[in-house]
């Protein structure tokens, strides 16, 4: 088990290095995408700063909590798609029958295919998340350690959620648009304080659009330095990922090849 | 006169062809519904916590209708910069140059036609959602007429900004980062997320002087709070910005087309 895990982590490192080298072939474009995403996230921080300058407390949340929320979502989303970038076009890959080439490798299909691409802008998100947390929240070592663990949990959640929504193409034909909209809802809800929502919407945030595992539990865990909230966040991420993997492999039985000629460099 | 008819036809053709993509409306409905619901909750909580009936001179229903208009304006923007970027990179611009048309003017009219259709469809969807969430606000025929007068210059200004970014393809490896930064600056400084009245007093005059507020804030404010004096000021600011940006477009375009090298046929 440990040997398998080490072996897989080696594969992750190799793919990340290769994907990064491929991105750096167009160094200017890569840097501009990273910087643009960093600034894009920064604009939201400006919005929240303006908001909290005018209204200092929002249902018990302060500007520091919202910065933590943005740091968590951005770094989780960034890490997920910087390493597992193929999760974004997964619905399209399935619909167009482009999994064949990945089936030829002596590797487990899903964890391998997800490594096939890197989103350049995701590096901007990841850098932004860690930078703003360090610069604005100024955590002690304990808080920072917990923050790093929770960003990994958020990244796992985003990957699992992406697999779940992308796998809908096995059942619905081309579900790219549906997957995009569902992901959009997830990301959007993840960037607003969960305390804004009550009732049925709150329930939605822990089920259909599981943003609460990014926007509430991790922030509470860091506010109170609570292992309980951290474990709940991790359990949510593992649950969503398990569901995604299950739906993917159930759907795979219905997969039809696109008979496409493909070459991978 | 002949030239005007030519460009009007370009605009009408773009509008007609855009009407064919009504399926996009469904995607926008989800997007707008999620965004507007989140904003409604954010402002409901804020009005509730502060006990205010008006913020920035707007009641809660007016605030939501203001946000419907800012989102409608933002989402109706056609992807001008990426298209121009592609025309430059693929050499399609060289083909445009042999036509008896001014490329910037043809692009402007085609963008206006496309935007008009997208704006109308977005407004219908946004208004339906706002009616459902907060009900109607007081509209008058005169007020709506004043609002409509503010639109053409706002659309033109946004086009000029995007045209300049697209022309950047002559010098830059990738202009998508620049476009992202432009759209985010328009979002925050243009008052898309928060009306300018809620910004700190000291920066408000600066923000009103920048062209971004003439694209988003000005028309949206006219929509919920029509005022002839405000419109007069807005049109003067829009006119000045159009003159300055048109000059910049002329300079950049002239410099850009000198760099075109076309071979073959």
């Amino acid at each position: 088990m440990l040997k398998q895990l080490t072996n897989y982590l080696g594969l992750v490192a190799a793919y990340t290095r290769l994907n990064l080298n491929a991105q750096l072939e167009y160094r200017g474009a890569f840097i501009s995408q990273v910087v643009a995403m960093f600034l894009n996230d920064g604009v939201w921080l400006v919005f929240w700063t303006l908001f909290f300058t005018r209204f200092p407390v929002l249902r018990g949340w302060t500007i520091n909590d919202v910065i933590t929320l943005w740091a968590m979502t951005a770094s989780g989303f960034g890490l997920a798609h910087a390493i597992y970038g193929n999760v974004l076009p997964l619905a399209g890959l399935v619909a167009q029958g482009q999994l064949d080439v990945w089936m030829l490798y002596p590797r487990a299909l899903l964890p391998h295919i997800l490594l096939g691409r890197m989103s350049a802008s995701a590096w901007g998100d990841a850098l932004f998340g860690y930078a703003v947390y360090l610069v604005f929240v100024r955590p002690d070592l304990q808080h920072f350690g917990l923050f790093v663990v929770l960003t990994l949990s958020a990244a796992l959640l985003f990957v699992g959620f992406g697999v779940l929504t992308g796998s809908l193409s096995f059942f619905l034909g081309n579900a790219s648009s549906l997957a995009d909209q569902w992901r959009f809802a997830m990301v959007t809800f993840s960037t607003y304080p969960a305390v804004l929502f009550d009732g049925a919407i709150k329930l939605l945030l822990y089920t259909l659009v599981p943003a609460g595992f990014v926007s509430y539990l991790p922030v509470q865990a860091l506010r109170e330095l609570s292992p309980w909230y951290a474990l709940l966040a991790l359990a949510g991420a593992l649950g969503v990922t398990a569901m995604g993997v299950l739906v993917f492999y159930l759907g795979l039985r219905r997969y039809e090849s696109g008979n496409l000629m493909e070459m991978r460099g | 006169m002949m030239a005007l008819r030519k460009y009007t036809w370009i605009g009408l053709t773009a509008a007609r062809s855009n009407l064919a993509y009504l399926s996009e409306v469904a995607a926008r409905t989800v997007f707008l519904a999620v965004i507007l619901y989140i904003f409604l909750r954010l402002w409901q909580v804020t009005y509730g916590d502060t006990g205010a009936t008006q913020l920035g001179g707007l009641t809660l229903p007016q605030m939501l209708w203001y946000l419907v208009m800012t989102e409608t304006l933002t989402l109706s923007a056609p992807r001008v910069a990426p298209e121009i970027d592609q025309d430059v990179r693929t050499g399609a611009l060289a083909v445009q140059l042999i036509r008896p048309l001014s490329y910037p003017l043809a692009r402007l009219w085609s963008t206006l036609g496309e935007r008009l259709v997208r704006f109308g469809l977005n407004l219908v969807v946004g208004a339906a959602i706002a009616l459902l969430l907060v009900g109607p606000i007081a509209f008058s025929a005169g007020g709506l007429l004043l609002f409509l007068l503010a639109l053409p210059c706002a659309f033109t200004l946004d086009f000029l900004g995007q045209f300049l970014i697209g022309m950047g393809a002559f010098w830059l490896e990738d202009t998508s980062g620049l476009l992202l930064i432009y759209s985010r600056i328009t979002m925050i400084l243009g008052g898309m997320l928060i009306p300018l009245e809620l910004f700190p007093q000291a920066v408000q005059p600066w923000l009103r002087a920048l062209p971004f507020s003439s694209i988003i804030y000005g028309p949206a404010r006219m929509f919920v709070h029509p005022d002839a004096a405000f419109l007069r000021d807005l049109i003067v600011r829009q006119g000045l910005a159009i003159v300055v940006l048109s000059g910049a477009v002329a300079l950049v375009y002239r410099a850009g087309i000198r760099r075109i090298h076309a071979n073959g046929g």
Side-chain angles (χ1 to χ4, degrees):
Chain A
M1 179 73 181
L2 189 67
K3 197 177 163 195
Q4 274 181 321
L5 184 66
T6 318
N7 183 284
Y8 180 65
L9 288 177
L11 183 75
V12 172
Y15 262 99
T16 307
R17 197 177 56 247
L18 284 171
N19 285 334
L20 190 60
N21 284 341
Q23 292 284 351
L24 289 174
E25 281 296 311
Y26 301 93
R27 196 173 292 263
F30 177 73
I31 292 170
S32 82
Q33 283 187 61
V34 171
V35 171
M37 190 48 75
F38 196 98
L39 292 175
N40 166 59
D41 295 347
V43 164
W44 285 99
L45 212 59
V46 172
F47 161 68
W48 282 111
T49 307
L50 286 168
F51 187 90
F52 278 96
T53 307
R54 185 83 192 217
F55 314 106
V57 180
L58 187 73
R59 282 205 174 164
W61 276 43
T62 61
I63 180 71
N64 255 19
D65 296 319
V66 174
I67 291 175
T68 306
L69 162 69
W70 260 89
M72 182 61 58
T73 304
S75 46
F77 185 90
L79 283 177
H81 300 102
I83 298 170
Y84 293 108
N86 244 354
V87 78
L88 290 170
L90 184 63
L93 293 178
V94 171
Q96 287 156 25
Q98 287 181 297
L99 302 190
D100 301 21
V101 68
W102 297 95
M103 289 175 166
L104 299 173
Y105 291 92
R107 288 273 179 187
L109 178 64
L110 182 61
H112 188 203
I113 191 174
L114 296 179
L115 291 168
R117 193 176 305 197
M118 169 180 284
S119 160
S121 61
W123 285 107
D125 282 319
L127 286 174
F128 175 85
Y130 286 105
V132 295
Y133 191 67
L134 285 170
V135 172
F136 292 103
V137 180
R138 296 183 186 172
D140 55 28
L141 201 60
Q142 235 178 338
H143 276 89
F144 186 66
L146 185 58
F147 175 79
V148 172
V149 172
L150 287 167
T151 55
L152 295 176
S153 158
L156 180 68
L157 179 79
F158 279 116
V159 172
F161 184 74
V163 171
L164 179 64
T165 51
S167 301
L168 292 177
S169 280
F170 286 122
F171 304 94
L172 305 175
N174 194 346
S176 296
S177 175
L178 179 65
D180 284 349
Q181 286 175 43
W182 204 352
R183 192 185 305 117
F184 157 76
M186 167 75 177
V187 173
T188 309
F189 275 109
S190 301
T191 52
Y192 286 86
V195 286
L196 291 175
F197 309 106
D198 308 304
I201 298 292
K202 199 166 187 174
L203 182 68
L204 200 76
L205 294 185
Y206 294 95
T207 50
L208 210 55
V209 184
F213 296 109
V214 185
S215 65
Y216 183 71
L217 295 170
V219 179
Q220 281 302 113
L222 286 162
R223 275 168 71 134
E224 300 175 20
L225 212 58
S226 155
W228 171 241
Y229 279 117
L231 280 174
L232 279 179
L234 185 61
L238 285 170
V240 170
T241 306
M243 182 67 82
V245 171
L246 184 72
V247 172
F248 179 85
Y249 281 106
L250 279 176
L252 194 60
R253 294 180 193 169
R254 306 161 62 100
Y255 173 69
E256 288 173 27
S257 164
N259 289 321
L260 297 170
M261 289 282 286
E262 274 193 274
M263 285 180 70
R264 297 190 58 234
Chain B
M1 196 62 200
M2 186 64 182
L4 183 65
R5 203 182 316 157
K6 191 162 59 180
Y7 293 117
T8 310
W9 270 108
I10 290 174
L12 284 173
T13 309
R16 265 209 307 270
S17 68
N18 216 251
L19 272 173
Y21 302 107
L22 287 176
S23 61
E24 254 189 65
V25 177
R28 277 203 290 271
T29 307
V30 176
F31 185 90
L32 271 172
V34 170
I35 286 286
L36 291 176
Y37 176 74
I38 291 176
F39 275 129
L40 173 70
R41 287 301 302 149
L42 176 64
W43 289 106
Q44 261 178 346
V45 170
T46 309
Y47 277 80
D49 282 1
T50 54
T53 52
Q54 286 200 346
L55 290 172
L58 302 178
T59 61
L60 178 60
Q62 280 179 323
M63 182 66 85
L64 195 74
W65 279 94
Y66 171 86
L67 293 166
V68 164
M69 185 44 67
T70 61
E71 289 290 340
T72 299
L73 285 162
T74 306
L75 291 177
S76 66
R79 297 173 51 77
V80 186
E83 284 173 14
I84 293 171
D85 178 296
Q86 278 309 299
D87 280 355
V88 171
R89 274 179 220 289
T90 60
L93 182 58
V95 180
Q96 302 285 344
L97 293 180
I98 55 173
R99 293 185 173 149
L101 291 166
S102 149
Y103 177 72
L105 279 178
R107 271 278 171 204
L108 169 66
W109 280 85
S110 131
T111 303
L112 290 179
E114 193 180 338
R115 187 153 195 173
L116 204 63
V117 172
R118 292 165 68 109
F119 177 81
L121 293 173
N122 285 344
L123 187 56
V124 169
V125 173
I129 294 166
L131 282 173
L132 203 71
L133 294 176
V134 292
I137 56 171
F139 288 115
S140 68
L144 287 175
L145 182 70
L146 289 181
F147 156 72
L148 288 176
L149 290 172
L151 278 184
C153 291
F155 290 168
T156 307
L157 255 180
D158 193 26
F159 165 80
L160 292 170
Q162 288 219 35
F163 191 90
L164 281 173
I165 292 169
M167 280 283 128
F170 275 113
W171 296 274
L172 302 170
E173 219 175 272
D174 178 36
T175 58
S176 63
L178 216 53
L179 180 63
L180 187 66
I181 292 168
Y182 168 80
S183 73
R184 292 307 180 256
I185 289 177
T186 308
M187 253 171 67
I188 198 82
L189 302 186
M192 188 192 103
L193 300 166
I194 190 165
L196 296 198
E197 286 81 2
L198 294 178
F199 279 70
Q201 290 284 349
V203 297
Q204 284 185 27
W206 294 97
L207 296 181
R208 282 177 213 279
L210 289 172
F212 307 108
S213 68
S214 299
I215 298 171
I216 306 284
Y217 164 78
R221 183 79 195 180
M222 285 301 301
F223 183 61
V224 292
H225 221 284
D227 174 359
F230 183 92
L231 178 69
R232 207 173 37 243
D233 280 358
L234 177 63
I235 288 184
V236 168
R237 274 184 275 118
Q238 285 177 330
L240 280 174
I242 286 174
V243 169
V244 172
L245 283 181
S246 299
V249 162
L251 281 175
V252 171
Y253 181 65
R254 210 169 300 153
I257 55 173
R258 271 195 226 116
R259 297 169 67 98
I260 292 179
H261 300 283
N263 298 304

